[in-house]
Amino acid sequence: MYQHTLAELSGLLHNKKISSEELTRTFIERSESFNKELNCYISITSELAMKQARAADRRIQSATAGPLTGIPVAHKDIFCTRDIKTSCASRMLDNFIAPYDATVVEKLNAAGMVTLGKTNMDEFAMGSSNETSFYGATLNPWDKLRVPGGSSGGSASAVAARLIPAATGTDTGGSIRQPAAFCGITGLKPTYGRVSRYGMIAYASSLDQGGPLAQTAEDTALLLSAMAGFDARDSTSVDRAVDDYTAELNTPLDGVTIGLPKEYFSEKLDNQIGDKIAAAIKLLERSGARIREIELPSTQLSIPAYYVVASAECSSNLERYDGVRYGYRCEQPGDLADLYCRSRAEGFGREVKRRIMIGTYVLSSGYYDAYYLKAQKVRRLIRDDFQNAFKDVDIILGPTTPTTAFKLNEHMDNPVDMYLSDIFTVPANLAGLPGISIPAGFADGLPVGMQLIANYFQEAKLLNVAHQYQQQTEWHKHAAREDLIS
Ligand code: GLN
């Protein structure tokens, strides 16, 4: 039963072939047993889950259920969950029990989903490998010597190992799409402002966006329909009607124009990934899509611009962790300055401190113009590149990552190498565009991810193309082999 997609499980629940209680118990058992191997959860909330499952069964009996009612979900530990530890994978928040639910959590609860736990992540979502977590690295279920990607690596690993049918994540520079690619699942980053950031612990506020991870595009469409929408509590949330993301899934691809940015197919791309993406392009062309080459000339500027902007915003956002109001406080502070300094020095990990230092530097007077302002100008160039491209194409297609999942510790001593692996994902964040990563094959037994990017609020189109591809391929159906996990 655990192999089913969310959409299939929804059908089984509604036809009363299974109950949510049964389903939830199955996923709790799997999660508890395989978590020992994979470390994808920070907390497993079995008691709450069983309570919510019983409530969901009552809703299904009384015919007041929606498509998500009774389906277990895990939330990245960056989303505040009332009365449940919300750590952001940091020692700083190891003792933090959130007093309220994030809007995303509130909405999925209202839809009747069952919260099974909180997933592991890079500390404060800073990383591409899940190795910066205070709770230790999450492993990739396809190869336990490799990373699941990050920062939503716990969510991706759990879905790939079929410990949960769906999970939430956040994507500041690729943190939904890159782990989805490394773990062979589907991950959607919506348009900036489409999903409320209220209660989602801030990393870089102008880039952060929450979204779903699941097996298929159809599943992420169902989830996005429930997660999206205006929220007066998030000042950057966009007041615009939410589309029915499942309505257009079966639209034929005739007349859809797909652009291939030549910068995304450079010599830096792993050959095997290039071949898989080329095969996917042929398939889409046979299905009626028109293919053309495009240019996104500012692509190579996106990594430096991103790491300046993201660090600047994080240095400001993380100022609030001062050891006074909540979170970690050092033992026996000598005075106030000592309390601030030691609480932060002991509460934050290395990567977080590196980002705060970089951010403080690029915002300081004298360097602001040279770095921060310059990065903002580059950001505009990147956005303009996309807007030019979207004059001619509906969808932009390329690989999600330049390589498949890398080995644990491979990039830990060289942060710049780690940063460079985000080259294909950060441009969409800098521009605020929606993007999805879907499985497109395997290279040496490891999943290959294909990324589709659309214009603002065109999630329905994005999901349509992804769904049409998945109707003709089987890649998303492969689950990591149990004998490799256990
Ligand atoms: N790897 C990127 C970073 O470290 C992206 C992280 C994210 O999207 N949260 O900032």
Side-chain angles (χ1 to χ4, degrees):
M1 149 158 86
Y2 57 83
Q3 296 282 8
H4 288 295
T5 66
L6 182 156
E8 289 163 357
L9 291 174
S10 177
L12 293 171
L13 283 167
H14 281 264
N15 295 329
K16 308 205 175 58
K17 295 271 192 297
I18 51 169
S19 69
S20 174
E21 232 186 304
E22 240 178 291
L23 189 64
T24 302
R25 197 168 296 119
T26 302
F27 282 112
I28 290 175
E29 277 165 17
R30 281 187 71 73
S31 292
E32 279 175 346
S33 98
F34 290 107
N35 193 44
K36 296 189 194 93
E37 292 285 323
L38 299 172
N39 197 25
C40 25
Y41 289 95
I42 291 173
S43 315
I44 297 180
T45 53
S46 337
E47 230 171 90
L48 169 71
M50 290 314 294
K51 205 172 111 202
Q52 288 181 325
R54 283 189 287 272
D57 282 331
R58 285 194 294 277
R59 264 176 84 169
I60 293 167
Q61 290 302 335
S62 63
T64 55
L68 299 177
T69 309
I71 310 266
V73 64
H75 293 296
K76 184 177 182 179
D77 210 17
I78 198 168
F79 287 99
C80 284
T81 39
R82 196 177 58 220
D83 300 334
I84 300 170
K85 170 164 141 173
T86 300
S87 72
C88 236
S90 180
R91 183 183 195 191
M92 185 57 90
L93 291 177
D94 181 46
N95 63 2
F96 178 63
I97 310 284
Y100 66 97
D101 280 328
T103 299
V104 162
V105 173
E106 204 175 82
K107 279 175 173 282
L108 294 182
N109 279 342
M113 291 198 92
V114 169
T115 303
L116 205 138
K118 305 291 296 287
T119 56
N120 203 354
M121 52 182 282
D122 281 295
E123 184 180 7
F124 282 101
M126 296 172 198
S128 312
S129 68
N130 249 67
E131 294 169 286
T132 70
S133 167
F134 174 59
Y135 303 98
T138 299
L139 308 184
N140 189 320
W142 291 95
D143 178 348
K144 285 192 292 176
L145 298 175
R146 291 177 189 269
V147 304
S151 62
S152 313
S155 291
S157 173
V159 173
R162 307 294 188 248
L163 310 188
I164 193 85
T168 55
T170 61
D171 192 312
T172 304
S175 280
I176 290 177
R177 290 160 290 155
Q178 184 254 24
F182 279 11
C183 291
I185 62 163
T186 302
L188 171 69
K189 171 215 162 318
T191 306
Y192 182 76
R194 180 69 300 187
V195 169
S196 169
R197 290 186 297 110
Y198 179 76
M200 197 176 102
I201 295 172
Y203 160 17
S205 309
S206 77
L207 302 159
D208 297 342
Q209 186 61 198
L213 298 102
Q215 289 182 36
T216 65
E218 182 183 22
D219 291 356
T220 57
L222 287 163
L223 290 156
L224 183 65
S225 299
M227 290 165 80
F230 175 65
D231 182 2
R233 296 174 297 187
D234 167 6
S235 61
T236 56
S237 159
V238 176
D239 193 357
R240 178 185 163 118
V242 176
D243 295 329
D244 177 350
Y245 297 109
T246 50
E248 287 178 36
L249 289 178
N250 290 316
T251 314
L253 295 186
D254 306 299
V256 173
T257 309
I258 297 178
L260 311 177
K262 74 174 201 322
E263 296 78 4
Y264 286 33
F265 294 88
S266 70
E267 64 291 349
K268 282 189 211 105
L269 180 65
D270 174 282
N271 281 338
Q272 290 197 59
I273 297 187
D275 292 347
K276 302 294 163 196
I277 304 296
I281 295 164
K282 284 216 180 74
L283 189 149
L284 290 167
E285 198 168 17
R286 280 200 304 274
S287 314
R290 274 199 302 269
I291 307 290
R292 56 191 292 179
E293 233 190 65
I294 57 164
E295 288 184 14
L296 298 171
S298 307
T299 300
Q300 75 275 28
L301 302 176
S302 60
I303 293 286
Y306 169 82
Y307 277 94
V308 168
V309 173
S311 302
E313 293 186 20
C314 104
S315 73
S316 162
N317 272 325
L318 270 58
E319 233 169 46
R320 71 191 70 175
Y321 306 105
D322 54 7
V324 175
R325 284 163 289 192
Y326 55 88
Y328 179 80
R329 180 181 294 176
C330 67
E331 302 268 334
Q332 301 182 328
D335 56 19
L336 187 61
D338 185 40
L339 173 108
Y340 288 154
C341 293
R342 274 204 295 125
S343 298
R344 288 169 67 81
E346 294 165 16
F348 289 136
R350 276 170 66 92
E351 184 61 23
V352 170
K353 282 189 267 199
R354 182 178 2 249
R355 308 274 179 113
I356 294 173
M357 298 286 284
I358 296 171
T360 310
Y361 181 84
V362 300
L363 288 175
S364 57
S365 97
Y367 296 110
Y368 180 96
D369 287 358
Y371 295 106
Y372 183 71
L373 199 63
K374 191 57 140 265
Q376 292 289 27
K377 289 179 179 168
V378 169
R379 191 171 181 179
R380 172 50 69 114
L381 294 177
I382 289 165
R383 179 188 166 279
D384 290 350
D385 275 3
F386 279 113
Q387 288 314 299
N388 275 334
F390 283 126
K391 286 185 193 139
D392 300 321
V393 303
D394 303 299
I395 296 285
I396 293 173
L397 181 153
T400 310
T401 53
T403 66
T404 51
F406 43 84
K407 291 213 170 80
L408 288 155
N409 283 319
E410 194 171 324
H411 294 316
M412 280 309 263
D413 294 333
N414 190 342
V416 174
D417 274 359
M418 184 83 87
Y419 300 169
L420 288 171
S421 69
D422 296 337
I423 177 77
F424 301 137
T425 48
V426 297
N429 299 79
L430 288 166
L433 295 165
I436 192 168
S437 178
I438 57 176
F442 291 87
D444 295 329
L446 295 170
V448 169
M450 172 162 77
Q451 177 176 224
L452 307 170
I453 300 171
N455 212 341
Y456 301 109
F457 299 102
Q458 299 298 305
E459 282 86 355
K461 169 96 320 192
L462 203 57
L463 288 158
N464 165 227
V465 177
H467 181 70
Q468 289 303 304
Y469 177 77
Q470 291 184 335
Q471 290 301 97
Q472 296 173 68
T473 54
E474 301 266 305
W475 307 121
H476 57 285
K477 295 192 179 156
H478 293 257
R481 274 171 49 197
E482 302 252 321
D483 53 327
L484 293 181
I485 314 173
S486 51

